[in-house]
Amino acid sequence: MDHSPPTHDTEADYPSPARGHYAQLVIATIALFMAMSIQAISLLIEPIKRDLHLTDVQVGLAQMTTFYVAYGLLATPMGMLVDRLARVRMLIGAAVLLVVALALIALSRQLWLFAAAKAMMGVANAIVYPAPMSLIADYVAPKKRAVALISYPVGQTLGQVVALMVGGLGYSALTRLAAVDPNALFGLHPWRVIPLSFAILGLVLVPMLFAMREPTRMETSHAHAAAGASIATSFRSLWAHRAFLLPLFAGMTFLGGLSSAVHLWIPAALMRLHGLEPGDFAMPLGVITLVASLGSFI
């Protein structure tokens, strides 16, 4: 007797196209907001450094190391939880965590609080990547899934571009406003207004997620189809493929660190070496980022 789980290959087995399109919209929006938040903080790292009186080493540790340590340690466990828990609820938790982290960054006066907030963003990112991929697999039939999966990277690309343009131009405008009227920003440094505004904007994600229903899991492996598949079983399965996974993780870690370093220090280099402000290079850097990212999709 065949005990393998049934397959669902027809569109009739999946949620309606309207629900699928709404899920793609929400997922693209989450990806956009996550990327926008990360990129905006990197864009403003030089004024953050000056305001908090940090060294370059402290900036690197607080801005990127804490983020990627949290993300790296929790990416696999969060992926396992995505296989077992309600994914929409996990995304709601990630959205709330991201909003709180942005608010803490805006209000931080000490290095430890800034670093803790960045670690919270890393935890949110560990949820935000696997959960949407799993949801799309259950919202969209296999024949149309490849196109649907583009929703996430497109949202990421647009988020990076929006952060550069809105964050850079917004920071310069706020700086000019504070120079004219020191009380216009209620005593806040101009850079703090950007993450605080993003935190308020991020609250829109919560009702959008509440409106998205958890779909039925359409495709499950035989191991997880068996009742009570344990975390230990999942780790044993990963260890069985260690010859492939360990080099893959090592390569991804190296490339992720390299990419993050470039994103972190380009704005700082433009400000230190060329005396530019974020508003001066926001538009051209945003266009370059958009063109380069779109080229990767081709």
Side-chain angles (χ1 to χ4, degrees):
M1 181 180 294
D2 184 7
H3 295 286
S4 62
T7 58
H8 302 269
D9 294 324
T10 64
E11 292 187 36
D13 294 316
Y14 287 80
S16 67
R19 286 181 60 194
H21 293 326
Y22 179 75
Q24 291 177 55
L25 173 64
V26 175
I27 286 169
T29 303
I30 291 173
L32 183 150
F33 188 75
M34 190 78 214
M36 181 176 67
S37 303
I38 295 171
Q39 182 67 53
I41 304 304
S42 296
L43 176 69
L44 301 173
I45 201 63
E46 195 65 14
I48 292 174
K49 177 193 171 191
R50 292 196 297 260
D51 189 37
L52 298 183
H53 307 290
L54 305 178
T55 65
D56 284 345
V57 172
Q58 289 174 321
V59 166
L61 291 173
Q63 166 69 355
M64 285 300 175
T65 303
T66 55
F67 177 90
Y68 279 103
V69 166
Y71 173 69
L73 291 176
L74 293 177
T76 299
M78 288 301 175
M80 294 176 177
L81 289 177
V82 163
D83 287 337
R84 292 164 173 79
L85 304 180
R87 294 155 291 182
V88 174
R89 292 182 181 178
M90 290 185 69
L91 284 177
I92 292 172
V96 172
L97 194 63
L98 182 56
V99 167
V100 172
L102 287 168
L104 289 177
I105 288 173
L107 300 175
S108 61
R109 300 286 179 181
Q110 295 85 24
L111 174 64
W112 70 267
L113 185 57
F114 181 81
K118 286 293 298 186
M120 291 171 63
M121 292 180 69
V123 176
N125 197 48
I127 300 171
V128 162
Y129 186 76
M133 299 299 104
S134 177
L135 284 168
I136 288 177
D138 291 331
Y139 264 111
V140 183
K143 292 182 179 180
K144 297 183 177 180
R145 192 173 297 156
V147 175
L149 288 170
I150 294 295
S151 304
Y152 193 90
V154 167
Q156 284 184 310
T157 297
L158 293 178
Q160 291 175 354
V161 174
V162 170
L164 288 168
M165 294 183 177
V166 174
L169 297 175
Y171 172 77
S172 294
L174 291 169
T175 300
R176 291 192 296 269
L177 179 62
V180 174
D181 182 4
N183 298 319
L185 303 179
F186 305 100
L188 293 175
H189 193 285
W191 75 262
R192 297 180 182 275
V193 178
I194 302 297
L196 189 59
S197 300
F198 283 4
I200 295 171
L201 181 63
L203 294 174
V204 177
L205 288 174
V206 178
M208 289 179 67
L209 286 164
F210 270 110
M212 187 169 75
R213 289 181 289 174
E214 179 77 17
T216 301
R217 293 184 185 269
M218 306 297 285
E219 300 174 3
T220 55
S221 68
H222 182 69
H224 286 169
S230 66
I231 296 293
T233 299
S234 297
F235 274 113
R236 284 195 294 269
S237 298
L238 290 172
W239 183 248
H241 297 87
R242 61 188 179 278
F244 168 75
L245 292 175
L246 290 177
L248 177 64
F249 287 165
M252 292 177 64
T253 299
F254 175 78
L255 291 176
L258 181 63
S259 174
S260 300
V262 171
H263 277 96
L264 173 62
W265 293 113
I266 280 180
L270 291 172
M271 297 178 74
R272 293 183 189 182
L273 302 178
H274 301 282
L276 300 177
E277 289 299 317
D280 299 327
F281 56 82
M283 190 63 69
L285 188 56
V287 171
I288 292 171
T289 301
L290 178 61
V291 172
S293 298
L294 292 178
S296 67
F297 296 143
I298 299 175

